[in-house]
Amino acid sequence: MTAVPINAPAAVVRLRARPVPVTLAAQLLRRPAAVVSLLVLAGLAVLAVFGPALAPHGAEDQDYANILAKPIWDGGTWTYPLGTDELGRDLLSRMIVGSRTALGLAFAAALLTGVVGTALGLLAGLYTRVVGPVIMWVVDAQLGFPYLVLALALVAARGPSLSTVFLVLALFGWVQFARVVRAEVLRVKTADYVLAARGAGASDLMIVLRHILPNVLSTTIVVGTFTFSAVLLVESGLSFLGAGVQPPTADWGAMMAGGRVFLNTSWWYSVVPGVMVVITVLAVNTLGSAVRSVLNPREAR
């Protein structure tokens, strides 16, 4: 700790701390499970961004001479390491390209729900007379309505498309952000430093930006990681049911649905994309648990 000059006013004495992202990264790098999860997610992010360039074949290229070709571990060739589908399309290429669809939709939807849910949670926690009860009534109404029924109704009304899937996913996770952020705001806004700032004449916007939002940001990050994995499962489930991403667009859920007819003869067609979904969700949840234990060590015990 650096020495503080004797003549320094007590009100301006501040201890310099490391930024939260630097501290969080340093703590996560000490956890092997978190490091493995970060590496897995980094690899998946590379596939999602550079998928078409990394794929050995075109996602829509058809080879009718190699329909339902076997993977390399079952007597196949390195031309199609994971085999082919019923149209002779390379499953490895479709897996790589499909990661952009699945992960891109899940990330965009989780980001949108995080922003909207956090904003509504802040409003609900700050204004508890009229605005807060109305927001929480909407939250309770959506939680009380079966989400899958709502999703299928929207798809039936608008028709299956990428925009419809994104809309359905965006309506999924915001309620969790709103409830958690509201609870954190109710706790933080009664703290002495917030009351002092309000007594000094600070506006609500200034109090939110300088005092409340930084204190609820860690909770928002944790909720966001789990929301991402939940949204990915919902997206894959809708595509598997035929209400999500439509053929011929490559998508993990759609690939699982396309291969279920051939489970007896070509089980890898459905199992391999399913394994990718499991690995992604497991990596995200493991990372989310590590972030939660770092940011809230007492609650993680």
Side-chain angles (χ1 to χ4, degrees):
M1 182 181 296
T2 58
V4 178
I6 298 177
N7 58 351
V12 299
V13 175
R14 296 180 180 177
L15 297 178
R16 293 184 178 180
R18 297 169 65 186
V20 174
V22 176
T23 304
L24 177 61
Q27 292 290 333
L28 289 178
L29 291 178
R30 297 175 184 175
R31 300 170 181 264
V35 173
V36 173
S37 299
L38 285 171
L39 292 176
V40 170
L41 294 177
L44 291 173
V46 171
L47 290 181
V49 175
F50 303 103
L54 298 175
H57 303 278
E60 306 302 330
D61 294 346
Q62 301 177 6
D63 184 0
Y64 292 112
N66 290 282
I67 292 177
L68 294 177
K70 294 182 178 181
I72 190 65
W73 64 79
D74 196 23
T77 64
W78 285 105
T79 304
Y80 302 110
L82 295 182
T84 60
D85 61 8
E86 71 276 13
L87 297 178
R89 297 175 296 189
D90 181 33
L91 290 180
L92 176 60
S93 300
R94 291 184 64 78
M95 286 281 298
I96 294 174
V97 176
S99 63
R100 170 178 293 187
T101 305
L103 299 180
L105 282 174
F107 178 78
L111 181 62
L112 178 60
T113 57
V115 172
V116 174
T118 300
L120 293 177
L122 290 171
L123 291 175
L126 285 174
Y127 307 107
T128 57
R129 293 186 177 181
V130 178
V131 178
V134 171
I135 293 176
M136 297 313 298
W137 179 83
V138 176
V139 168
D140 293 337
Q142 179 163 334
L143 289 175
F145 194 85
Y147 175 75
L148 185 58
V149 175
L150 175 62
L152 294 177
L154 286 174
V155 172
R158 294 173 52 91
S161 63
L162 286 178
S163 60
T164 302
V165 174
F166 180 75
L167 175 62
V168 169
L169 296 177
L171 292 175
F172 173 70
W174 73 271
V175 293
Q176 303 299 332
F177 283 94
R179 294 185 67 183
V180 172
V181 171
R182 173 182 175 273
E184 288 293 310
V185 171
L186 291 177
R187 179 183 62 84
V188 173
K189 77 174 186 178
T190 58
D192 293 339
Y193 56 87
V194 175
L195 297 177
R198 191 176 297 277
S203 63
D204 290 342
L205 180 61
M206 183 62 66
I207 291 175
V208 168
L209 295 179
R210 297 194 60 180
H211 301 289
I212 295 180
L213 187 58
N215 283 279
V216 304
L217 187 60
S218 60
T219 303
T220 304
I221 294 174
V222 174
V223 176
T225 57
F226 292 110
T227 300
F228 174 81
S229 60
V231 170
L232 177 60
L233 287 175
V234 172
E235 188 275 333
S236 300
L238 289 175
S239 297
F240 182 82
L241 295 175
V245 178
Q246 298 297 300
T249 303
D251 178 75
W252 292 346
M255 291 177 65
M256 287 188 288
R260 61 185 174 182
V261 182
F262 309 100
L263 282 176
N264 291 332
T265 58
S266 304
W267 55 268
W268 56 85
Y269 187 171
S270 283
V271 171
V272 172
V275 169
M276 288 300 299
V277 173
V278 172
I279 291 175
T280 305
V281 172
L282 183 61
V284 173
N285 286 347
T286 301
L287 181 61
S289 299
V291 172
R292 181 178 59 183
S293 63
V294 170
L295 296 179
N296 300 297
R298 293 182 179 179
E299 295 181 6
R301 292 179 181 177

